């Protein structure tokens, strides 16, 4: 579970900004809290703020650092990601730090990158014992001369494990190659360690935690949309959920269709199209074969005639003889199609980050979505962090005071992150009205006068 995250020198974040999911002293909504050892960790956080305050940048900071952690600097776009209001920030590092609980063990993981040199400057993984003692599993630093230095305090039960750790860390030490300067120790050791127990297994569990993280933006699409209809249980569950939100949909139906490759591959270069045709010809048989084409996932198989087919999802609005396609649905319904899989996919100990959770959704739908998240996830170690403009969600009958966060743009155009807890709001207070009145900040501030007549003068 995510305990806390901090970031500095990334987009609108200048000085270090921090969000915490440690539960406060609030006694209401106990179902919104999970126990991790002796810690109480919140299941959700809602982030409010004006347009251009930096809410989306907070979600992007997590997504951006996650990509680096898992795949290295070569897989991300580093251009103009620093705090651009001050030019010297290009030469200063971007810092991302996570406090997480994995399998009941607390860790601090941090990553420091150089936008200018395009390399990892520092990285650490620290295990925090129940006693409060900290054990450095690994640490790397780049000194002023550009030399990379690594160290570890981890105890190794086996001599072989100790030797392997030493050898692997040497790749990030002293005469480090450019490739290793741009990748993380965490994923390198996890990918190479592959042990069922011991220090490498522990590192792998931390890497898996980052892999399970789901980051959704307003333009994110559920890639396995057609597979909703391929399994009867999934289809029935999705039908119940989508109809629960009053979309007018009575059921989700499936229809086997022959793959029209020329239409699906029409925007690809001919060489790439031919590669896919050869791959499918050799690998698709009676059993489903998964392939990703143009950001969509297809599960393909051959029918008795030898044709390649897939299950296409269709939508019943009350007439089974006239089914609708996904493209026919409203933006709000499409948004639900992207969000509902969070309820039934088997994600355990996962963090869902959703930018603009209320996009195209009625207030009542968003409220019910939150209630359903708390109800369906129950005791599972899942969390949801979401940004929103919907002030109606500032309802203490719906969420706890410590689950509400604000992002506000400062005079120097940087973003400041702070909690409603700072104001010690009472549980019986109408905080949505207080928020719109400016009691908590993080709202738009308009110019007092605007010369509209002058705009239209010839």
């Amino acid at each position: 579970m995510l305990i806390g995250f901090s970031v500095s020198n990334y987009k609108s974040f200048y000085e270090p900004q921090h969000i915490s999911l440690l539960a406060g002293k609030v006694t209401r909504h106990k179902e919104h809290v999970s126990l991790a050892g002796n810690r109480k960790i919140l299941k959700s956080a809602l982030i409010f703020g004006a347009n251009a305050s930096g809410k989306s940048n907070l979600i992007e900071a997590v997504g951006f650092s996650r990509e680096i952690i898992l795949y290295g600097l070569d897989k991300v776009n580093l251009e103009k990601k620093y705090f651009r209001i001050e030019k010297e920030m290009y030469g200063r590092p971007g810092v991302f730090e996570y406090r997480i609980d994995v399998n009941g063990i607390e860790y601090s993981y941090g990553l420091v990158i150089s936008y200018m040199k395009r390399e990892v400057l520092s990285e650490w993984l620290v295990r925090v014992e129940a006693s409060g003692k900290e054990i450095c599993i690994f640490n790397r630093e780049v000194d002023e001369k550009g030399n990379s230095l690594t160290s570890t305090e981890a105890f190794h039960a086996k001599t072989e494990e100790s030797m392997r750790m030493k050898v692997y860390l040497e790749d990030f030490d002293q005469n480090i190659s450019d490739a290793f300067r741009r990748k993380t120790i965490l994923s390198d050791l996890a990918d190479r360690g592959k042990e069922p127990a011991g220090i490498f297994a522990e590192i792998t569990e931390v890497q898996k935690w980052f892999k399970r993280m789901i980051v959704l933006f307003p333009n994110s699409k559920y890639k396995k949309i057609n597979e909703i209809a391929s399994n009867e249980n999934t289809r029935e569950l999705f039908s119940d959920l989508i109809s629960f939100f009053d979309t007018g949909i009575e059921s989700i139906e499936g229809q086997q269709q022959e793959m029209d490759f020329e239409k699906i591959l029409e925007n690809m270069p001919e060489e790439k199209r031919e590669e896919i045709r050869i791959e499918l010809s050799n690998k698709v048989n009676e059993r489903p074969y998964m392939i990703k084409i143009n950001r969509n996932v297809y599960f393909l198989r051959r029918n008795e005639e030898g044709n390649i087919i897939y299950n296409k999802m269709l939508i019943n609005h009350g007439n089974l003889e006239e089914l609708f396609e996904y493209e026919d649905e409203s933006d709000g319904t499409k948004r639900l199609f992207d969000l509902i899989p969070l309820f039934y996919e088997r994600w355990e100990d996962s963090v869902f980050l959703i930018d603009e959770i209320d996009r195209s959704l009625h207030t009542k739908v968003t409220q019910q979505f939150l209630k359903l998240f708390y109800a369906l996830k129950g005791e599972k170690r899942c969390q949801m962090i979401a940004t929103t403009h919907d002030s109606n969600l500032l309802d203490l009958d719906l969420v706890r005071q410590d689950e509400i966060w604000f992002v506000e743009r400062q005079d120097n155009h940087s973003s400041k992150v702070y909690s409603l807890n700072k104001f010690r709001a009472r549980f019986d207070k109408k905080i949505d009205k207080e928020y719109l009145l400016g009691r908590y900040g993080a709202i738009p501030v308009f110019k007092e006068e605007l010369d509209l007549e002058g705009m239209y003068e010839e």
Side-chain angles (χ1 to χ4, degrees):
M1 300 189 77
L2 181 65
I3 300 173
F5 172 73
S6 65
V7 56
S8 64
N9 194 22
Y10 175 81
K11 291 197 170 182
S12 61
F13 297 106
Y14 175 43
E15 297 179 339
Q17 298 297 314
H18 178 74
I19 183 170
S20 171
L21 278 89
L22 282 175
K25 297 181 180 179
V26 179
T27 57
R28 306 184 82 206
H29 302 301
K30 293 182 179 180
E31 70 278 10
H32 296 196
V33 176
S34 287
L35 291 176
N38 60 354
R39 289 183 177 272
K40 295 180 179 180
I41 303 177
L42 296 169
K43 283 182 168 290
S44 69
L46 293 182
I47 304 170
F48 297 81
N51 295 104
S53 61
K55 301 187 305 299
S56 295
N57 289 344
L58 187 61
I59 304 297
E60 289 177 17
V62 176
F64 176 77
S65 57
R66 175 185 178 273
E67 291 295 301
I68 297 173
I69 292 164
L70 296 178
Y71 310 113
L73 285 167
D74 288 337
K75 299 299 182 180
V76 298
N77 180 7
L78 291 172
E79 294 298 322
K80 300 179 179 180
K81 294 296 192 295
Y82 58 96
F83 183 69
R84 294 167 59 197
I85 304 302
E86 297 188 13
K87 292 183 179 179
E88 66 268 19
M89 297 304 288
Y90 177 56
R92 295 187 186 179
V95 183
F96 309 85
E97 184 173 7
Y98 292 83
R99 200 82 171 189
I100 62 179
D101 179 279
V102 181
N103 299 329
I105 302 174
E106 184 178 337
Y107 297 93
S108 170
Y109 176 81
L111 184 70
V112 181
I113 65 169
S114 170
Y115 296 107
M116 185 168 61
K117 295 181 179 180
R118 284 165 162 68
E119 66 175 342
V120 176
L121 298 177
S122 180
E123 181 188 4
W124 62 90
L125 178 63
V126 175
R127 183 198 308 133
V128 182
E129 304 283 358
S131 63
K133 180 182 179 181
E134 297 186 350
I135 298 174
C136 177
I137 295 176
F138 62 75
N139 182 68
R140 76 194 282 193
E141 297 286 347
V142 176
D143 64 21
E144 294 179 356
K145 296 181 180 179
N147 298 316
S148 181
L149 305 172
T150 62
S151 62
T152 178
E153 297 175 348
F155 171 76
H156 305 281
K158 299 179 182 178
T159 303
E160 179 188 351
E161 186 180 66
S162 179
M163 290 298 297
R164 288 179 67 193
M165 186 71 155
K166 180 180 178 182
V167 170
Y168 292 161
L169 287 180
E170 283 178 352
D171 287 332
F172 294 88
D173 219 342
Q174 298 299 328
N175 300 319
I176 184 173
S177 67
D178 289 342
F180 280 91
R181 286 184 184 275
R182 294 191 294 270
K183 68 192 306 187
T184 63
I185 292 179
L186 178 69
S187 283
D188 182 74
L189 295 187
D191 292 341
R192 289 203 279 178
K194 299 188 182 302
E195 293 289 339
I199 195 67
F200 292 110
E202 186 175 358
I203 292 170
T204 299
E205 287 303 306
V206 175
Q207 184 205 42
K208 286 180 179 178
W209 185 89
F210 283 102
K211 284 186 174 181
R212 289 192 295 267
M213 186 183 291
I214 307 295
V215 185
L216 298 177
F217 295 103
N219 60 349
S220 297
K221 299 296 179 186
Y222 183 57
K223 297 179 178 63
K224 297 187 290 185
I225 195 73
N226 285 310
E227 284 314 293
I228 293 172
S230 65
N231 180 280
E232 184 177 352
N233 291 333
T234 302
R235 186 170 63 247
E236 290 180 359
L237 177 58
F238 200 99
S239 296
D240 290 340
L241 288 169
I242 198 71
S243 61
F244 170 79
F245 289 106
D246 191 27
T247 57
I249 295 173
E250 294 192 3
S251 65
I252 301 297
E253 304 295 331
Q255 188 179 92
Q256 290 188 353
Q257 293 200 0
E258 187 173 340
M259 201 72 167
D260 186 350
F261 291 106
E262 298 311 312
K263 181 178 180 180
I264 293 173
L265 306 177
E266 61 183 356
N267 295 322
M268 289 186 179
E270 178 56 34
E271 182 178 346
K272 181 64 177 177
R273 280 189 280 177
E274 187 60 23
E275 286 181 12
I276 293 176
R277 292 191 192 102
I278 293 172
E279 177 183 356
L280 297 179
S281 176
N282 292 330
K283 295 184 177 180
V284 175
N285 48 41
E286 294 81 8
R287 299 181 64 184
Y289 175 72
M290 186 184 78
I291 187 170
K292 184 178 178 181
I293 304 174
N294 292 334
R295 300 177 67 182
N296 291 313
V297 174
Y298 296 89
F299 289 80
L300 309 176
R301 64 182 180 84
R302 290 189 188 276
N303 61 12
E304 295 178 354
E305 291 76 33
N307 298 319
I308 296 178
I309 59 174
Y310 72 103
N311 287 305
K312 183 171 184 177
M313 182 197 71
L314 295 171
I315 301 164
N316 171 24
H317 276 279
N319 182 359
L320 286 172
E321 295 181 359
E322 190 63 48
L323 299 175
F324 290 73
E325 298 195 11
Y326 171 81
E327 290 76 14
D328 298 324
E329 298 300 321
S330 69
D331 288 343
T333 301
K334 289 179 181 177
R335 182 63 165 167
L336 286 171
F337 269 92
D338 300 329
L339 296 177
I340 282 176
L342 299 178
F343 292 134
Y344 69 81
E345 291 274 12
R346 292 187 177 180
W347 287 308
E348 297 294 337
D349 196 7
S350 299
V351 182
F352 310 136
L353 296 109
I354 308 172
D355 188 24
E356 295 186 24
I357 189 173
D358 56 318
R359 184 182 67 82
S360 300
L361 298 180
H362 190 279
T363 291
K364 289 291 186 181
V365 172
T366 312
Q367 290 173 337
Q368 286 300 320
F369 183 89
L370 292 173
K371 291 178 182 178
L372 204 58
F373 172 80
Y374 298 127
L376 292 182
K377 288 306 177 183
E379 297 300 318
K380 295 180 180 178
R381 292 163 57 88
C382 291
Q383 295 167 290
M384 178 170 60
I385 301 173
T387 69
T388 178
H389 289 115
D390 191 346
S391 61
N392 291 305
L393 301 181
L394 286 166
D395 182 353
L396 297 182
D397 287 330
L398 178 67
V399 295
R400 296 161 51 108
Q401 291 96 315
D402 48 8
E403 292 177 290
I404 295 173
W405 289 78
F406 301 106
V407 179
E408 185 175 64
R409 187 175 66 251
Q410 304 298 289
D411 290 341
N412 67 349
H413 297 279
S414 67
S415 296
K416 179 182 179 181
V417 181
Y418 54 96
S419 170
L420 176 65
N421 260 359
K422 168 184 174 182
F423 301 92
R424 299 182 180 179
R426 288 163 46 107
F427 73 90
D428 57 349
K429 207 170 187 65
K430 294 293 184 181
I431 58 173
D432 55 339
K433 294 181 180 179
E434 296 281 315
Y435 170 65
L436 293 177
L437 289 172
R439 168 82 171 87
Y440 310 119
I443 60 171
V445 179
F446 307 108
K447 292 182 179 180
E448 292 184 5
E449 295 182 2
L450 184 62
D451 185 8
L452 294 176
E453 292 184 3
M455 290 182 179
Y456 297 98
E457 289 181 357
E458 295 184 0

